[in-house]
Amino acid sequence: MTIPIKASHSRIYDIFARWTTISYRYAAWVLLGALLVAVASSVYVSRHLGMNTDTTDMLSEHLPFRVNMKHYNETFPQDMETLLVVLEAPTPEQAYAATARLAAHLKQDTTNFHDVYPPNVDDFFARNGLLYQSLSELEQTTDRLAAAQPLLAHIAGDVTLPTFVSVLNGAVEELRKGRSMELQPVLRGMSTTLDARLAGSPKVLSWQSLFHGEPQKSRYQELIVVKPRLDYTLLFPAEQSIAALHAAAIEIGVTVDGPVRLRVTGEVALAEEELNSSLRGMEYAGIITFVMVAVVLYFAMRTAGLILNVLLCLTMGLILTAAFATATVGHLNLISIAFAVLYIGLGADFAIHFLLRYREVLESGLPRTEAMHVSGGDAGAALTACTITNAIGFYAFIPTDYSGVAELGIISGTGMIISLLVTLTLGPALLRYLPKRQQTKSITKGSVGKVLELSLKWHKLTYAATLAAVVGAIALLPQVRFDYNLLNMQDQKGEAVQAFRKLLADTDHSPWHAVVLANDRRETERLARRLAELPEVSKVVTILDFVPTEQEEKLSLIEEMALTMGPITVSTKDRPVGEDVSLRQRKALDELAAALDRFLAERPNHPDSVSIRSLRSSLGLLFVQLDAASASERGKLLYAVEEDLLATLPSALQTLRTATEAAPFSEQDLPASLGSRWHSRTGEYRLAAYPAEDLNDNDALRRFVRAVQQVAPDATGAPMVSLEAGEAVVEAFVQAFLLALVGIIVSLLILLRSVKCTLLVLTPLLLSSLFTAAFTILLNVPFNFANIIALPLLLGLGIDSSLHMVHRSLNNELVSEVLIHTSTARAIFYSALTALVDFASLMFSSHQGTASMGIMLTVGLTFTLVCTLVILPALLRSPIQTAKV
C-alpha cells in the first residue's frame, strides 16, 4: 500500500496554512497581544526566576555516591560548604603570625562566618608541637639548641645588627681556632638574606628553620578552614562572606604588596568563581551571538524587514521560554543557563525556513495572502516534524539521573514548541507591516547552489571520501575519553582554581582525599592499617595520630632542653636609629668581613669554607651599595638588613619557650575544634586517606578511587564524587542518546511512513555524530560534565536539516540538482550558519566547560551541515515519489 506524502501531511498543512493566514489578516491584534504577553512574561521572570548554583543537585540524590556523601555531611557538618584560606609567607613565623591574627579577627565576625578553624594555629599545638617529632629528631634539636644557647642569650639581650654580627664574628673566630661549631645554616641563611635584599626582592631570615636545622624554603603556607554564612537569596551566596574575609585581611595588614599573600579557595570559592565565569561567558556569548546572527541574517535575507522579523521572533520566543522555565522549574542551573544561547540558534532556524519559503513562493508571482497560505502550510508541516524530533532529543534527558541536564531538556524541549508557535504566529503578523522589497532572483541562490553542485558532479568521489572518513573515525573511537576532573571545566586563570591546584600538588596535604567512616576505634585501626598498605595511598590520618607515642621519653628530652636553654629573655627595647647607629652597624660588618677573610686565608679547605666564602661575597656587594649611597639611604639600607636578619628571632624564641611547656595528654585532652572533626558526636571515626599521586591526572584518580573502594566500599570525598559522578553522567547520556534515537526513529516512521526516507534522514546525523566523536580526539577536547550534552543535542539538531531536505524532495518530487537551488537548501545553509556562530560564541567563555561545549557543538554542526548538503544530496540523486507504509 502506498500513500502520497502530501496526503499524509494534509491535516498539518491545512492547520498551519489557515493559522498563518489568520495571523496575517489580524496582524494588529496579534502584535498587540504579543506585546502584552511579552511584557507580562518579562516582569514575571525578573521577579521569580532563581539560580541554583549547587552542583551536587545536578545528579540524583539516590545514587550511591551521593548517599555516602550525604551521610558524611550529616556526620561531620563542619566540613560542608567551606572556604580554604591559604596564607603564604617567606618564613614560617610570618605565615603563623598572619594566620593567627586573621583567624582571631574572623572569629569575631559571627555575622558572616559560622566557624573558623586554623588547623595548625592553636595554643595546644604551640605547647605540644615538639611531642610530634620523632625521638631522633628531638635529640638533634636539643643538641643544636644547647650548642647555640650562649649565642642566642647574647643576641636576645640586644636584638640589633651590631650584636648579632659581633656574636657571629666571635663564632667564626672560634671556628678558625679549631673549635667544632655548626655555623653553616646561619652562614647560608645570612648570605641568602643579604643577596635577596640587594637583588630588590627582600626575604626575612627564619630563625625557626635555623633552630630545627632545616633549609629555609622559598614559601611557607598555613590554612584556615572557614564555614561562611551563605545567603541563597543572592545570585552569589558567599559574595558577602568572601568580601568580609578580604576586608579582614587588609585590616590585619595582609595586602597585595606585602610579604604575606592571601588566596581563597575551597568548594564555596570554586562554586562562586565557576558561576561568575559561566555567567560572564553566557553574557559575552549572548552579545556576540546576537550581533553575528544579525550579520548572517543580512546575507540570508538582504532585507531589513525580514531580519527584524527574525530578531523579534527570537526575542519573543526567548522571553516565553524563560517564563515557562520560571513556572515549571523555578530556577536555572549551571547547565540549563545555556538554554538562552542555544535557543537563539534554534529559534532562528525556524524563522529562516519560514521566511525564505515565503519569499520563494512570493517570487513565483502569487499574491501575498496566497503566498502566506502556501508557505505557512509547507513550512508548518516541515517545522512540526522538526519540532517533534528536536523536542524528543531534548526530552530524552528527563528520565536520566543527570537532573541538571534534565532541567535543560524540559526547558529547551518546550522551547522548541514555543519557537514553532511564535514563528508561525508572530512571523506572519510582522510580515503584514514589514514588507520586503520584491526581487526577481535571490542574490545568494546561485552562489550557494553552485558550490553544492560540486558534490553531485563528483558524487563517486563523495562516496569514497565518506567511506574513508567513516573507517578513520571508527578506528579513533576507542580513544574517546571522559574528563572526570571538575577543575578542568573552570576558568584556569581564576584565583580559586590556581590556589586549589597548588594544594593538590602537595599529595600529603591534598584537599582531594578519600574519607572513610568507622563505627569504633577497633574498626578505625583495622581500616587505617589496610588502607596504608595500598600503593595508591601515601598516608592515612585518624584521630589516633594526634596522640603521639613515646611521650615520656620525649618529655624528658624537652625538660633537658628547657634546662639547657635557661630563662632567655628577649629585649623589648626599641632599636635605635641615626648616624651613630649606622656607623656602629658598618663597623660590625667590616669586622665580620675581616674575620671571614682571616678564616679563608688560614683554613681554605675547611668544610665551612664554601658557606663563609659565599657570605663574604654577599658582604662585598653590600659594601659596594653602601659606599655608593647617601647618608640617609645608607641608614635605611642597614636598618632594612637588620630587619631582614632579626625580625623573626623574638617570635621564634617565644615559640620555642612555649614548646618547652609540653605535658602528657590523651585523646580526651585534644581540643574540641580538632576532636570534633575526627570523632563525631554519634561515635563514628573519620579516616582520611591521601593519594600517592597527583589526582589532576584522570588515570591516577581512577586508580586511587578503585583501590580505596576495595577496602572501604562506602568511602566518599572529592575523588569518589568526581569519578562516580562522571560515570553516572556518561551512563545518563548513553541512556538519553538511545532514548532520543529510538524516539526520533519512531516519530520519523510515523511522519514519513517510509523506512527508506527514515534512513535517509538519519544517515547525515549519525555520520556527523561519528565524526564529531572522532574529532574530540584530534582536537584533544575530551567529553566532560558540560560538553557531553552535545551528542544528544546534535541528534535533535541534525534531524532538522536532513528532514527538511527529504521532506522537500518528497513533497515536490525534486531531484538533487533542483533541490540544492531551492529555498530549503539556502535556509538549511543559513540556519546552520546562524547556529554555528551561536555555538562558536560559547568558545569565548572563560568557563572551560562552556567553551568546550561551544567547540563540540561547532564541530558537530559543521559536520551536520557537510553531511546534509554534501553527502545527502548525493544519496538523493533520483526523486522519491511515494512512501511505503
Side-chain angles (χ1 to χ4, degrees), residues 45 64 161 217 219 354 385 407 421-422 486 546 554 569 602 710 884:
V45 170
L161 182 62
K217 296 185 291 186
R219 304 292 291 180
F354 168 65
E407 292 176 2
L421 297 176
V422 168
L486 292 168
F546 290 95
K554 293 175 182 178
T569 302
E602 297 180 17
Q710 289 294 318
K884 294 182 180 180

Side-chain angles (χ1 to χ4, degrees), residues 2 24 32 55 152 187 232 258 337 375 395 397 427 476 536 577 601 616 716 732 778 787 819-820 844 854:
T2 62
Y24 184 79
L32 178 60
T55 54
L152 291 176
L187 293 171
Y232 287 104
I337 195 176
S375 60
Y395 287 152
F397 294 119
L476 288 173
E536 294 83 3
V577 293
R616 181 62 184 88
T716 186
L778 299 177
N787 67 29
L819 183 62
I820 60 176
F844 293 94

Side-chain angles (χ1 to χ4, degrees), residues 505-709:
D506 183 3
T507 55
D508 281 343
H509 301 91
S510 173
W512 274 8
H513 55 263
V515 175
V516 180
L517 299 184
N519 293 321
D520 52 44
R521 186 186 184 94
R522 180 176 297 180
E523 186 182 7
T524 301
E525 293 173 341
R526 179 183 64 82
L527 286 172
R529 193 164 48 250
R530 291 189 60 192
L531 288 169
E533 293 171 355
L534 297 173
E536 294 83 3
V537 175
S538 65
K539 68 174 183 178
V540 181
V541 178
T542 73
I543 195 171
L544 308 179
D545 296 306
F546 290 95
V547 182
T549 58
E550 303 176 307
Q551 291 191 33
E552 291 186 8
E553 295 88 340
K554 293 175 182 178
L555 286 169
S556 297
L557 287 173
I558 293 172
E559 290 176 5
E560 180 183 338
M561 181 191 303
L563 291 173
T564 303
M565 290 292 296
I568 296 178
T569 302
V570 179
S571 173
T572 57
K573 294 186 298 183
D574 292 335
R575 295 176 190 170
V577 293
E579 184 65 25
D580 293 342
V581 174
S582 297
L583 291 174
R584 288 199 302 272
Q585 291 172 331
R586 176 60 188 266
K587 180 181 178 182
L589 291 170
D590 286 336
E591 291 174 353
L592 176 61
L596 295 176
D597 289 335
R598 287 193 297 273
F599 182 94
L600 292 173
E602 297 180 17
R603 310 286 296 271
N605 298 319
H606 191 277
D608 290 347
S609 61
V610 174
S611 300
I612 290 177
R613 192 172 288 109
S614 175
L615 178 57
R616 181 62 184 88
S617 175
S618 300
L619 287 173
L621 295 174
L622 175 62
F623 293 155
V624 170
Q625 284 202 17
L626 289 172
D627 293 340
S630 63
S632 61
E633 291 174 345
R634 194 159 47 242
K636 291 178 181 178
L637 178 57
L638 288 171
Y639 182 83
V641 168
E642 185 177 73
E643 277 290 306
D644 292 345
L645 292 172
L646 300 172
T648 67
L649 179 60
S651 62
L653 287 173
Q654 178 60 44
T655 300
L656 186 61
R657 189 160 50 243
T658 303
T660 60
E661 300 172 1
F665 63 90
S666 63
E667 181 182 325
Q668 288 70 32
D669 300 317
L670 292 173
S673 59
L674 170 67
S676 62
R677 282 173 162 77
W678 296 93
H679 190 187
S680 72
R681 294 179 179 177
T682 59
E684 291 182 270
Y685 287 79
R686 171 176 170 245
L687 296 86
Y690 288 84
E693 301 175 90
D694 186 350
L695 296 189
N696 272 311
D697 179 77
N698 282 318
D699 292 332
L701 173 67
R702 180 179 291 276
R703 285 192 297 270
F704 175 70
V705 170
R706 295 306 179 215
V708 171
Q709 287 177 334

